[in-house]
Amino acid sequence: MSHSKTYDNEPLTAWVNGRFVPLPEATVHIEDRGFQFADGVYEVIACVNGHFLDLQAHLERLERSCAAIRLDMPMSRSEMQQLVEEIYARNPFRRAMIYIQITRGAGPRAHYPATGMQPTVVLTSRALPQPSSERLAVGYTAITRPDIRWKHCEIKSIALLASIMGKQEAHDAGVDETFWLDDEGHVLEGCSTNAFAVIDGKLVTHPLDHQVLGGITRDLVLRTARNHQITVEERPWRLHEAGLTECMLSSTTNAVMPVCRIDGQPIGDGKPGRIALQLRQMVIAALEADA
Ligand code: PDD
C-alpha cells in the first residue's frame, strides 16, 4: 500500500491516541496544545535487539516531566511499558529509538488549560542512527554559546526552539553540537546531550539542577565510571580549566562520544580521549550484553 510508505520509504507504524496506524496517517488535531503551545513532554528510548536500555528510568522521568507540568499520566507505568514493547514489535529495528510524546490534548486555544482534557499520546519506533567508524576515529566537534533556554531544563519538554537554534548555529559552524554556558562560563550541557570533561583524570559533569536534563545515559556513564574506579565529580566546570584533557557528550542517540574540538580549539591532543573511548566501549558493551 503506497500510503503505508513514509517519505523515506520505510513502512513505519505509529501509535496515536489509542490506535496503531501507518505513519502517514498518524495525525493529531490542529488545536492540539502540543502544536499550539508546546504543552507537552517526551522521551527517547534506545532499544538493541529487543532490549530497552534503562526503560524504567525513562518511564520514571516521563512521569516526573508530566507531574512537573501538572499533566496527569494518561496510563499506568505497565500500560506504557506494554505500548513501548508493542510499538517496537511493529517496527523492530535491530537498533531502534522509541519516541514517546504526551501533550495535554486538543481544545479551544486558551493559555490556561481546561480541566478534564484527554491527553494526546504518540509513539514511534525508528532506526537508531550510528556514528560511522570514520566519525568515531576523529570524534565530534562543538561550539559554546550562552544558554538562552528557560529555567526548567530538568523537564523533558517538547518546547525545543532554543535547542533548535543552537543546532542551527552548530550546523552553520560545521560542528556537531552547541554546548550551553551559564553566566560564569560553566559548561551546562548540549542542545540534546549531556557534557563531560576529564580534569586531572577525573570525570567531571555539571550537577543535576534546573539547568540540565538528568540524562539517562549520563547516569549510566557515571555509574560505569564509578564501577571502573574512575573518580566522578558532579560540579560546575569550565573549558579552560588547568588539567582538562578530554571532553565527551552522552545521550540516548549517541551513547558516549568524544568531543575533540570546541570553539575551534583542540581538546587535549585533539584526538578522541582514552577515557571517553573506554566509557563508550563500556556503555555499549552494557547495552549489547543485556540484549
Ligand atoms: N535528547 N540534555 C538534553 C537537553 C537532551 O535533550 C538530552 C536527550 C540529553 C540526554 O538525555 P538521555 O541520555 O536521557 O538521552 C541531555 C534526546 C535524545 C532528544 O531530544 O532526541
Side-chain angles (χ1 to χ4, degrees):
M1 276 193 305
S2 63
H3 70 259
S4 69
K5 301 280 180 204
T6 65
Y7 33 85
D8 51 4
N9 249 3
E10 296 165 88
L12 296 178
T13 298
W15 167 268
V16 188
N17 287 335
R19 291 194 309 138
F20 288 104
V21 289
L23 191 66
E25 294 166 29
T27 55
V28 297
H29 199 280
I30 62 159
E31 290 198 301
D32 192 277
R33 294 178 64 89
F35 180 60
Q36 295 200 330
F37 292 116
D39 185 359
V41 297
Y42 76 106
E43 275 300 324
V44 181
I45 304 164
C47 181
V48 176
N49 291 338
H51 169 78
F52 301 98
L53 181 63
D54 285 337
L55 178 58
Q56 295 309 320
H58 280 281
L59 297 182
E60 253 168 52
R61 186 172 65 183
L62 182 63
E63 291 166 11
R64 275 203 310 278
S65 296
C66 281
I69 65 164
R70 297 199 235 163
L71 195 170
D72 290 337
M73 274 295 286
M75 62 186 78
S76 68
R77 172 86 61 91
S78 63
E79 284 166 335
M80 183 56 86
Q81 177 166 345
Q82 207 176 325
L83 260 190
V84 168
E85 284 161 8
E86 280 184 41
I87 195 70
Y88 174 72
R90 284 162 196 258
N91 308 273
F93 296 97
R94 199 173 90 70
R95 293 164 192 276
M97 56 178 179
I98 313 298
Y99 179 76
I100 308 173
Q101 179 171 320
I102 304 179
T103 77
R104 209 177 299 271
R109 186 180 180 281
H111 286 68
Y112 185 72
T115 47
M117 294 190 74
Q118 187 60 44
T120 296
V121 180
V122 164
L123 281 88
T124 57
S125 165
R126 285 181 167 278
L128 180 67
Q130 298 295 305
S132 63
S133 48
E134 295 80 43
R135 220 50 230 298
L136 248 182
V138 293
Y140 280 174
T141 52
I143 52 173
T144 59
R145 289 291 179 268
D147 190 4
I148 55 165
R149 302 171 305 162
W150 70 332
K151 293 184 176 154
H152 272 300
C153 296
E154 79 284 6
I155 302 173
K156 204 159 169 58
S157 157
I158 60 170
L160 292 172
L161 196 47
S163 308
I164 289 160
M165 291 166 72
K167 288 285 189 189
Q168 285 173 328
E169 285 208 60
H171 182 265
D172 292 350
V175 301
D176 301 289
E177 181 62 298
T178 294
F179 287 144
W180 301 118
L181 303 179
D182 72 7
D183 291 343
E184 274 106 50
H186 300 116
V187 179
L188 298 169
E189 64 175 340
C191 296
S192 60
T193 58
N194 289 113
F196 305 76
V198 175
I199 303 174
D200 294 330
K202 297 173 190 152
L203 184 66
V204 182
T205 191
H206 194 86
L208 293 183
D209 63 14
H210 65 283
Q211 300 176 98
V212 298
L213 181 76
I216 306 300
T217 323
R218 175 189 181 281
D219 263 13
L220 176 61
V221 169
L222 298 186
R223 267 198 326 267
T224 306
R226 289 186 177 112
N227 287 341
H228 289 81
Q229 284 69 52
I230 298 169
T231 305
V232 168
E233 278 185 4
E234 293 179 76
R235 64 159 175 90
W237 60 277
R238 293 187 179 86
L239 262 180
H240 301 294
E241 287 187 37
L244 189 153
T245 50
E246 297 185 31
C247 285
M248 67 194 86
L249 56 73
S250 77
S251 74
T252 296
T253 44
N254 287 289
V256 181
M257 278 297 282
V259 179
C260 300
R261 290 184 82 84
I262 301 181
D263 294 333
Q265 300 298 314
I267 303 298
D269 63 4
K271 300 200 181 85
R274 183 179 60 81
I275 293 180
L277 289 179
Q278 197 187 345
L279 284 169
R280 178 177 172 82
Q281 208 174 31
M282 292 187 300
V283 161
I284 289 176
L287 232 176
E288 310 242 330
D290 276 347

